Amino acid sequence: MSSPQEDELAGTEQPFVSHLMELRDRLIRALLAIGVAFGLLCAWPGPGGLFDLLAVPLVSHLPQGSSMIATNVLSPFLVPLKITLLAAFLLALPVVLYQVWAFVAPGLYSHEKRLVMPLVVSSTLLFFAGVAFCYFFVFGKVFTFIQSFAPKSITAAPDIEAYLGFVMNMFIAFGAAFEVPVVVVVLARMGIVTVQQLKQFRGYFIVLAFVIAAVITPPDIVSQLALAIPMCLLYEVGLWAANAFARYTRAPDDTEEHKGTTAG
């Protein structure tokens, strides 16, 4: 009778060509999901509607009568199209991550599978939370702060391409910053560092968070605090989650050894 470990490894030694064919199929399904999402978003609310929605935080803080401008001939067409494509990718992200998970799952042990799926789900939700926090809270505070310093002699008319670049940088920064708990869990579970070492590193991480916020956000105190403080709080969440995942994803051999040591 085969052991549980042999059962877990059974069927994973497929020929290299088979892996490439499966990878191709997974990529095609992921691209199809993005294509379907792109088509739906083009139908409603449309590229123009998506850009208007993205521009609300800035436009609502511009002086009365001001609007955004396009300095490039193709910008009114390309910028909304880029935003629609990005939104389609985010909308299809659960399908894309599922294809990644389905591709790597056969090569994982059962206790490793218990770790990967929660991390995939949590990392997706945390990234969306970071983007939403940036859009609904940070943008309003930042644009209010910037407009309060604008001289009366200047008429604000931001370029749509520059605004798109700014928004993308901020979304990536806050989305990545909200992944701190996932990074902490992975580092602890892979044995690179222990939870106790991570707790001792807490003070250094606080300094590091403020340095990162100062580098990747605009030069205003509002956005820097809005990025650094959540990072510090999420670091504490990561420490708690690392302890929970360590118990939940312990290998069967580790559990048996632990019980044997306790009994002895």
Side-chain angles (χ1 to χ4, degrees), residues 143-190:
F143 296 142
T144 300
F145 179 82
I146 292 174
Q147 290 302 320
S148 66
F149 277 84
K152 300 297 182 182
S153 57
I154 296 178
T155 300
D159 178 63
I160 60 174
E161 284 192 270
Y163 179 68
L164 175 62
F166 171 79
V167 167
M168 293 301 100
N169 290 336
M170 292 290 284
F171 279 173
I172 292 173
F174 277 84
F178 272 58
E179 299 292 334
V180 168
V182 176
V183 175
V184 171
V185 169
V186 171
L187 290 175
R189 189 63 189 88
M190 292 180 64

Side-chain angles (χ1 to χ4, degrees), residues 36-155:
V36 171
F38 182 80
L40 292 174
L41 291 174
C42 284
W44 186 87
L50 281 175
F51 180 83
D52 290 339
L53 182 63
L54 189 66
V56 166
L58 176 60
V59 173
S60 61
H61 289 86
L62 290 177
Q64 188 173 2
S66 297
S67 62
M68 302 180 70
I69 63 172
T71 57
N72 189 299
V73 176
L74 295 178
S75 292
F77 171 74
L78 292 179
V79 171
L81 204 62
K82 291 177 182 178
I83 292 173
T84 306
L85 185 59
L86 176 67
F89 175 77
L90 293 177
L91 188 63
L93 190 59
V95 178
V96 174
L97 291 177
Y98 174 78
Q99 296 304 322
V100 175
W101 157 246
F103 179 72
V104 302
L108 299 177
Y109 294 110
S110 58
H111 66 279
E112 291 174 332
K113 293 178 182 179
R114 292 198 298 268
L115 171 67
V116 173
M117 199 58 183
L119 286 182
V120 168
V121 174
S122 59
S123 60
T124 304
L125 295 177
L126 285 170
F127 186 86
F128 284 146
V131 171
F133 178 74
C134 182
Y135 179 83
F136 290 105
F137 177 77
V138 177
F139 280 169
K141 302 298 181 183
V142 170
F143 296 142
T144 300
F145 179 82
I146 292 174
Q147 290 302 320
S148 66
F149 277 84
K152 300 297 182 182
S153 57
I154 296 178
T155 300

Side-chain angles (χ1 to χ4, degrees), residues 170-209:
M170 292 290 284
F171 279 173
I172 292 173
F174 277 84
F178 272 58
E179 299 292 334
V180 168
V182 176
V183 175
V184 171
V185 169
V186 171
L187 290 175
R189 189 63 189 88
M190 292 180 64
I192 298 175
V193 290
T194 64
V195 176
Q196 186 60 36
Q197 289 174 325
L198 289 169
K199 289 180 179 178
Q200 294 173 355
F201 186 72
R202 181 186 287 117
Y204 297 100
F205 181 82
I206 293 174
V207 175
L208 181 63

